[in-house]
Amino acid sequence: MTYVVTEACIKCKYTDCVEVCPVDCFYEGENMLVINPEECIDCGVCVPECPIEAIIPDTHSDMEKWVELNAQYAKKWPNITRKKNPPEDADVWASVPHKFPEHFSPEKGGS
């Protein structure tokens, strides 16, 4: 099992989870974070730190897409190990559903 960052993180990018990760397995894109599933030790300490519940175990149904996306972009994006301020409009985006098709753009270096 591993944990993955899902669509809820897009355009919110709270980084509370990053500070508690004992193995520094978070990576940062323009609009979201991802977890490297090969580095994640399945401890789950990041889950309660995410204010929008964007981090989910890969054992939930329909997580294959997110495991693949997290693995792919963890290899491309820079590692993040310290908490940063979220985007100014993060709270506005926190409850917006279906953000992936419109706000995830691999052409721009990912989301």
Side-chain angles (χ1 to χ4, degrees):
M1 182 179 85
T2 188
Y3 288 89
V4 293
V5 180
T6 62
E7 183 173 42
C9 185
I10 296 174
K11 301 288 279 180
C12 294
K13 206 165 81 168
Y14 297 103
T15 56
D16 305 68
C17 53
V18 170
E19 285 235 313
V20 299
C21 181
V23 294
D24 297 333
C25 65
F26 282 88
Y27 293 79
E28 182 182 23
E30 182 182 356
N31 289 332
M32 74 178 290
L33 304 176
V34 294
I35 293 173
N36 185 330
E38 293 178 16
E39 296 173 350
C40 179
I41 59 171
D42 311 327
C43 67
V45 297
C46 58
V47 175
E49 298 302 317
C50 181
I52 55 171
E53 300 177 356
I55 303 170
I56 299 176
D58 69 347
T59 54
H60 280 218
S61 63
D62 300 325
M63 286 292 110
E64 297 84 16
K65 166 186 174 178
W66 294 105
V67 171
E68 191 175 303
L69 184 136
N70 277 245
Q72 177 183 359
Y73 287 97
K75 293 176 183 173
K76 297 179 180 183
W77 293 346
N79 185 247
I80 179 172
T81 59
R82 302 246 187 260
K83 182 177 177 177
K84 295 181 177 181
N85 290 327
E88 289 184 24
D89 60 350
D91 291 338
V92 173
W93 287 102
S95 61
V96 174
H98 312 295
K99 297 182 274 187
F100 184 78
E102 189 172 337
H103 299 285
F104 189 88
S105 54
E107 302 83 34
K108 296 180 186 176
S111 197

